[in-house]
Amino acid sequence: MYDFLLVGGGIVGLSVGMTLLEKHPGAKLAILEKEAGLAQHQTGHNSGVIHSGIYYKPGSYKARFAKAGNGSMRSFCEIHNIPHDICGKVIVATNEKEIPELAKLYERAFQNGLDAKWLSREELLEKEPYVNGLKGIYLPSTGIVDYQAVSHKMAEIIRDRGGEIVTNADVCAIDERTEIVTIETSTKSYSANFLVNCAGLYSDRIARLAGYHVDVKIFPFRGEYYALKQEKHHLVQNLIYPVPNPNFPFLGVHATRMINGEVEVGPNAVPGFKREAYSKTAFDWKDFYEIISFPGFWKLGLTYTKEGMDEMSRSISKKRFVENLQQLLPSIEEEDLISAPAGVRAQALQRDGSLIDDFFIVNGRRSIHVCNAPSPAATASLEIGKEITRRIATRVATD
Ligand SMILES: Cc1cc2nc3c(=O)[nH]c(=O)nc-3n(C[C@H](O)[C@H](O)[C@H](O)COP(=O)(O)OP(=O)(O)OC[C@H]3O[C@@H](n4cnc5c(N)ncnc54)[C@H](O)[C@@H]3O)c2cc1C
């Protein structure tokens, strides 16, 4: 009998596990992960950016947890000697039309309590000499890290605190009763006082297995990347972001210096017809049927028809991808880019066709379900861990 069972060995599950064991020393806790290793999905396929929190609606979880998470992630890396670099980033307006939107972001930086600097064209070029930009914003607190390295350190701390991490444990049934939760995996059954669902791309299914009819569907958005050839790395000093399309919930294709020295451009945002749709042809009937039979899918399609078609054409045609990127970095040519592994975002979609913007955490009787933790959840992971630990403490206290 466990005190806590967690589903999902990505950065969110690991942070929750680590924080629970800090708050409840000696508790019996296990993390069940379906893969043979940890951090194999979103946590292992992202841009590796420690976000500052500029984009998010003031007061939202995302805004608060990204800002606090930026600080806690930096301290975690410092304490545990995890390579990271607080290199700062620029957001660039490439034409006059984007300047009002850039100005709104600058305003938002202050609403969210961030340090930000407005850059003239000359100041922008001092930071990023190869960028095409009229104006920019500089965010000094943004950085880079390898979130798989962070996750492995979290796993080590969990084991040191007596927690268990069970890999190859695909959770396939959950029975939540008044006094106990029982969980079946492909090989074994477990029981616990409390369950935390951090299953990323499968978090809605796990919530439903536990009997919660959360009215959202995880919609997989593949994000494709290209790596910039070594001899062109000088074109990108640090992190270069476009002004995001205010009608589209993603940040836009950006250029990122990674902590391993590579430079990547991406990710775009293309619908996947399989939850773990890492390739363009990935397809799964069950996932596909689930998506198309959800009314929100068709409404989403109508809302983002133009954006969706543009993204898909840039996914199919490298030439179109590069033409788009050249608005930001005109010196990059098609032959400078090599395909790199994609990531898949777990984005919760509602019945009315809207994408849930904020983190979405559902309280059950003996469970908590993290049903929307897309970017910046890696940055915010330590804060999400604290929030869930706090919610559990409140629930146990009122039991
Ligand atoms: C392309 C891309 C770029 C991004 N860039 C950034 C960035 O620069 N900065 C940032 O802060 N965030 C970024 N993010 C977001 C960030 O990566 C995620 O928000 C974060 O990793 C979510 O962590 P997680 O633990 O919730 O999910 P995951 O890492 O996906 O982990 C969920 C785990 O649950 C397991 N699981 C699922 N079902 C079951 C089951 N039935 N039984 C057992 N285990 C199960 C999975 O195998 C997986 O290991 C990006 C994401 C993507 C996709």
Side-chain angles (χ1 to χ4, degrees), residues 225-227 318 337-341:
Y225 290 92
Y226 287 98
K318 183 177 178 188
L337 298 178
I338 309 151
S339 275

Side-chain angles (χ1 to χ4, degrees), residues 230-280:
Q230 176 116 38
E231 53 272 33
K232 295 295 173 89
H233 280 188
H234 64 278
L235 298 179
V236 177
Q237 310 302 302
N238 291 303
L239 308 175
I240 307 174
Y241 280 67
V243 176
N245 176 346
N247 301 319
F248 204 47
F250 303 109
L251 302 185
V253 166
H254 44 267
T256 316
R257 179 166 67 79
M258 311 294 280
I259 199 71
N260 65 6
E262 294 294 322
V263 175
E264 288 196 349
V265 293
N268 54 8
V270 226
F273 295 109
K274 179 182 174 176
R275 298 229 173 189
E276 293 168 357
Y278 290 99
S279 71
K280 292 191 208 312

